[in-house]
């Protein structure tokens, strides 16, 4: 029973950590994307290939997530206009 709660708990933790970043900072988006990618890659790698697959999936997912997070950083919104 405890083993079935580990995966949803880890997913919730990764999503929570990824949400704690500035969406307009490429460095923070790279870290958040890397965390999400590493978690997803480890889960898929573990399901597909076991222990070694989890390590390879985490490394590949983390690298791809970091690159994608930094590359998709939007420009900050303009400052508000006050009369």
């Amino acid at each position: 029973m405890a083993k079935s709660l580990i995966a949803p708990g880890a997913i919730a933790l990764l999503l929570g950590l990824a949400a704690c970043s500035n969406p307009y900072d490429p460095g923070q988006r790279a870290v958040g994307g890397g965390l999400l990618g590493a978690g997803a890659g480890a889960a898929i790698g573990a399901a597909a290939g076991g222990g070694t697959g989890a390590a390879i999936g985490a490394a590949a997912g983390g690298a791809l997530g970091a690159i994608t997070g930094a590359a998709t950083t939007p420009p900050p919104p303009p400052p508000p206009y006050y009369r």
Side-chain angles (χ1 to χ4, degrees), residues 12-57:
L13 180 66
L14 285 174
L15 288 175
L17 287 175
C20 294
S21 65
N22 179 1
Y24 305 113
D25 182 17
Q28 289 184 16
R29 281 185 58 102
V31 170
L35 286 173
L36 255 126
I44 293 170
T52 307
I56 294 170

Side-chain angles (χ1 to χ4, degrees), residues 38-80:
I44 293 170
T52 307
I56 294 170
L64 185 61
I67 291 169
T68 305
T72 59
T73 305

